[in-house]
């Protein structure tokens, strides 16, 4: 976190976890290893049974086969138990104190912001009295300005000290986390050469996609061995080239569909395959695929060539979105590529567990999703450093995207954040400051006059009630019907939907036209309240809009 006068604010990250639960599982795995060791001892005795005959010989053979399997299982259970316990201890030593500091940091930041504003006001007043006929007034205001500046500086020192302390704890936790990942990787890498295992542990031990990319490019001779050993991890590791990831993920998808029984998950897997079978050049690519890592199947499909694109868009869904919708989102992605022009690629990113109606008021899904989206966006920047990166987020997706991008001091390399029918940005001063400080990303927003869902979502939110359309330096564009540059009518968004007739991202609508123009030129294509604009249910001229219920006046 830095002074508002010197740059963006970095938001401290709360580290999720439960040391008690991790310790309990560590003990259970240790017990499993002990019992397997007892079985191993019994198998040794059986292998050495005296006597002759078919049954004795068969028993010896079975015991030998069991011993071969048990050796690896005992080793893995022992390692897992040890890693979990060591990580639980590290979490308790470093993560819990770091988390405890966040509340103090937020209070200290509020005190600093308040004292900074007071110091600015005192300085302005002191300047206004310079040359006053009453010397005593000038001296008094100057003295007040000095005291206010001292109070501000003391507040900044306390805030800086707390942030530095949090950073130390966080760095120690991060090192422990990386060590745990490396240890777990070694458990699944027994068949790899020591050289390849060392590279793999470095790949998964870093949280920087640029470092992953550099390591991958430095060791082309290791690629076949690494891919053979861990296709699931490499297919989702940000920083690995997208053509490699797509090949690995498509292979995993096809293999799963060959054996997956009927049910909800098979339907989701088939939906992903249908979205990939759309004709195009290049064909859609499955750049991430995780059927087991969270409650929902998550995936991301790229339409267009990410390696050569100068404009890369990412579509982020909101409440109740799932991979079953990927084909429809893909149609919108390809239409956006055509509308924005050559050199455009668009990713449909279903990389997080979207909330249901009961979860939507909270920030839990956004916090988890922001971590995944942030890593993905850093991977884009690492692999396509020259491209403009645009995030187009619908409903709760804009809550997630705003948290991810606004929590980073560099905006994750994003050029523009476009929020359509936003469920509200996070109620976090540092996040909002990062998004509206005049540096990239540039933020754009629209909400239809007929979108009650977005307004109700903000009004009932616990943690994301900020209306982006009201923020300073946010470019607001229309979605209520207008005309394009040739005077042709553009339909309005008539509700909250992302796709389909009357939706924000329906090709041909005013909202979609403006999104495409923002990607293409940096500015919306229609005039605010211009020709063709329609008055809607929530138009601010209606009698039910008042200051008392300002959350619906957008």
């Amino acid at each position: 976190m830095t002074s508002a006068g010197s740059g963006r604010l970095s938001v401290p990250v709360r580290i999720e976890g439960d040391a008690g639960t991790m310790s309990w599982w560590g003990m259970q795995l240790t017990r499993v290893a002990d019992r397997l060791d007892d079985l191993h001892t019994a198998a040794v005795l059986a292998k050495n049974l005296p006597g002759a005959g078919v049954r004795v010989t068969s028993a010896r053979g079975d015991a030998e086969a069991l011993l071969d399997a048990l050796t690896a299982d005992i080793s893995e259970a022992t390692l897992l138990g040890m890693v979990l316990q060591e990580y639980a201890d590290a979490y308790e030593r470093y993560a819990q104190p770091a988390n405890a500091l966040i509340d103090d940091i937020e209070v200290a930041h509020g005190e600093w912001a308040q004292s900074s504003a007071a110091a600015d006001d005192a300085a302005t007043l002191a300047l206004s009295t310079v040359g006053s006929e009453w010397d005593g007034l000038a001296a008094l205001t100057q003295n007040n300005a000095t005291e206010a500046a001292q109070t501000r500086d003391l507040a900044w020192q306390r805030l800086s000290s707390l942030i530095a302390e949090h950073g130390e704890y966080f760095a120690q936790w991060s090192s422990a986390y990386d060590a745990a990942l490396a240890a777990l990787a070694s458990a699944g890498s027994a068949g790899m050469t020591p050289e390849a295992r060392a590279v793999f542990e470095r790949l998964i031990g870093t949280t920087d996609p640029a470092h992953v990319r550099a390591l991958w490019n430095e060791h082309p001779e290791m690629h076949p061995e690494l891919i053979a050993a861990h296709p699931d991890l490499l297919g989702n590791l940000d920083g690995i080239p997208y053509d490699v990831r797509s090949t690995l993920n498509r292979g995993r998808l096809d293999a799963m569909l060959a054996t997956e029984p009927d049910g909800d998950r098979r339907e989701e897997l088939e939906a992903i395959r249908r979205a990939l079978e759309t004709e195009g050049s290049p064909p859609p690519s499955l750049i991430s695929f995780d059927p087991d890592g969270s409650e929902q199947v998550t995936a991301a499909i790229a339409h267009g060539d990410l390696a050569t694109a100068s404009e890369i868009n990412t579509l982020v869904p909101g409440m109740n979105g799932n991979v079953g919708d990927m084909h429809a989102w893909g149609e919108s992605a390809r239409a956006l590529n055509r509308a924005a022009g050559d050199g455009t690629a668009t990713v449909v990113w279903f990389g997080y567990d979207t909330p249901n109606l009961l979860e939507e008021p909270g920030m839990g899904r956004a916090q988890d999703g922001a971590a995944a989206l942030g890593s993905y966006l850093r991977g884009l920047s690492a692999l396509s450093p020259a491209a403009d990166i645009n995030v187009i987020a619908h409903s709760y997706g804009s809550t997630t995207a705003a948290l991810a991008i606004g929590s980073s001091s560099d905006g994750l390399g994003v050029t523009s954040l476009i929020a359509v029918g936003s469920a509200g940005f996070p109620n976090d001063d540092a996040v909002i400051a990062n998004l509206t400080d005049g540096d990239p990303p540039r933020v754009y927003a629209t909400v239809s006059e007929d979108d009650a869902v977005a307004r109700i979502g903000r009004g009932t939110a616990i943690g994301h009630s900020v209306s982006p359309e009201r923020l300073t330096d946010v470019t607001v564009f229309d979605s209520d019907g207008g005309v394009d540059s040739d005077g042709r009518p553009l339909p309005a968004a008539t509700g909250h939907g992302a796709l389909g007739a009357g939706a924000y991202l329906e090709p041909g609508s005013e909202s979609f036209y403006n999104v495409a123009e923002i990607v293409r030129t940096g500015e919306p294509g229609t005039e605010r309240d211009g020709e063709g604009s329609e008055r809607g249910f929530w138009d601010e001229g209606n009698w039910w809009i008042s200051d008392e219920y300002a959350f619906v006046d957008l």
Side-chain angles (χ1 to χ4, degrees):
M1 187 175 288
T2 60
S3 168
S6 60
R8 293 172 177 264
L9 299 170
S10 296
V11 182
V13 178
R14 190 175 299 276
I15 306 167
E16 300 297 332
D18 186 330
T21 299
M22 287 186 282
S23 293
W24 185 86
W25 279 109
M27 288 188 294
Q28 299 308 308
L29 286 164
T30 300
R31 290 176 182 173
V32 168
D34 290 341
R35 291 175 182 176
L36 288 174
D37 193 51
D38 292 340
L39 181 59
H40 185 276
T41 300
V44 169
L45 294 175
K47 180 183 176 182
N48 296 320
L49 279 174
V54 174
R55 291 185 179 180
V56 172
T57 302
S58 177
R60 289 174 184 160
D62 291 342
E64 187 168 2
L66 181 59
L67 284 172
D68 291 339
L70 284 174
T71 300
D73 290 343
I74 292 170
S75 175
E76 187 168 348
T78 302
L79 175 64
L80 289 172
M82 179 187 69
V83 169
L84 271 176
Q85 185 56 58
E86 289 181 352
Y87 180 64
D89 293 342
Y91 184 89
E92 193 169 15
R93 285 196 303 271
Y94 307 128
Q96 288 179 349
N99 288 342
L101 285 168
I102 290 180
D103 290 341
D104 293 338
I105 289 172
E106 291 175 347
V107 171
H109 178 261
E111 292 173 349
W112 168 75
Q114 186 175 11
S115 62
S116 182
D120 290 344
D121 291 343
T124 301
L125 181 60
L127 285 172
S128 71
T129 62
V130 172
S132 169
E133 294 181 1
W134 183 32
D135 293 338
L137 176 61
L140 177 63
T141 56
Q142 180 61 50
N143 184 61
N144 288 342
T146 301
E147 290 180 355
Q150 291 172 344
T151 300
R152 176 201 61 201
D153 292 345
L154 287 173
W156 176 249
Q157 290 173 13
R158 170 169 167 72
L159 177 59
S160 299
S161 176
L162 287 169
I163 291 171
E165 186 178 2
H166 178 275
E168 291 174 2
Y169 279 124
F170 191 91
Q172 290 172 310
W173 165 82
S174 182
S175 296
Y177 182 79
D178 290 346
L181 282 179
L184 291 174
S186 67
S189 306
M192 297 173 68
T193 62
E195 295 80 8
R197 187 181 305 115
V199 172
F200 179 72
E201 290 175 4
R202 291 173 64 195
L203 281 171
I204 68 165
T206 178
T207 57
D208 183 359
H211 190 204
V212 170
R213 178 193 181 198
L215 281 170
W216 182 261
N217 291 338
E218 287 170 9
H219 299 282
E221 75 284 0
M222 301 289 184
H223 292 176
E225 189 175 355
L226 292 168
I227 287 171
H230 292 287
D232 53 340
L233 293 176
L234 295 180
N236 293 287
L237 186 59
D238 292 309
I240 298 294
Y242 290 117
D243 57 341
V244 175
R245 290 173 60 172
S246 180
T247 299
L248 295 177
N249 292 330
R250 185 59 193 262
R252 290 184 64 218
L253 174 65
D254 291 341
M256 289 186 66
L257 282 168
T259 59
E260 185 71 25
D262 291 341
D264 290 343
R265 190 163 84 154
R266 181 173 186 87
E267 291 179 3
E268 291 179 316
L269 298 179
E270 289 177 340
I272 295 173
R273 182 168 63 182
R274 284 196 302 274
L276 290 168
E277 290 174 345
T278 304
E279 293 183 3
S281 181
S285 55
L286 186 60
I287 63 171
S288 73
F289 172 57
D290 190 354
D292 301 308
S294 56
E295 295 176 27
Q296 301 173 15
V297 174
T298 62
I301 294 179
H303 299 267
D305 189 350
L306 295 179
T308 62
S310 57
E311 297 284 344
I312 299 177
N313 311 309
T314 298
L315 304 180
V316 183
M319 181 178 70
N320 291 330
N322 64 70
V323 295
D325 302 324
M326 291 199 84
H327 184 274
W329 280 84
E331 293 291 338
S332 185
R334 289 188 295 279
L336 181 58
N337 289 347
R338 292 190 295 270
D342 294 340
T344 304
T346 302
V347 175
V348 178
W349 190 82
F350 279 75
Y352 78 118
D353 289 337
T354 60
N356 58 33
L357 183 61
L358 294 178
E359 295 168 326
E360 189 277 340
M363 286 293 293
R365 296 298 191 189
Q367 289 164 351
D368 292 342
L373 182 60
S375 180
Y376 156 77
L377 290 171
R378 287 208 182 280
L380 271 186
S381 294
L383 292 168
S384 301
D388 288 336
I389 296 175
N390 311 297
V391 176
I392 301 147
H394 173 247
S395 188
Y396 194 87
S398 73
T399 307
T400 302
L403 180 62
I405 298 166
S407 294
S408 174
S409 59
D410 61 0
L412 299 175
V414 172
T415 305
S416 62
L417 168 60
I418 306 170
V420 296
S422 175
F425 282 8
N427 301 351
D428 189 307
D429 290 343
V431 168
I432 299 304
N434 281 346
L435 293 172
T436 58
D437 64 0
D439 291 331
R442 186 173 173 186
V443 181
Y444 306 80
T446 189
V447 63
S448 166
E449 292 287 1
D450 290 317
D451 187 349
V453 174
R455 291 168 168 82
I456 293 171
R458 302 173 194 184
T460 59
I462 306 170
H464 57 90
S465 60
V466 176
S467 296
E469 299 85 4
R470 291 176 171 272
L471 294 174
T472 304
D473 292 330
V474 170
T475 299
V476 181
F477 62 95
D478 273 0
S479 52
D480 304 317
V483 295
D484 65 14
S485 58
D486 295 323
R488 290 173 296 197
L490 300 166
T494 56
H496 183 65
L499 306 173
Y504 286 106
L505 297 179
E506 176 67 10
S509 68
E510 182 183 21
S511 175
F512 183 89
Y513 175 75
N514 280 326
V515 168
E517 287 297 292
I518 290 169
V519 171
R520 194 174 69 86
T521 70
E523 297 294 339
T526 66
E527 179 185 354
R528 287 275 287 151
D529 298 322
E531 181 183 351
S533 183
E534 301 174 0
R535 308 298 259 180
F537 182 83
W538 293 98
D539 181 77
E540 64 179 309
N542 289 328
W543 63 269
W544 50 82
I545 305 299
S546 68
D547 291 338
E548 182 180 0
Y549 301 104
F551 71 86
V552 298
D553 178 9
L554 301 173

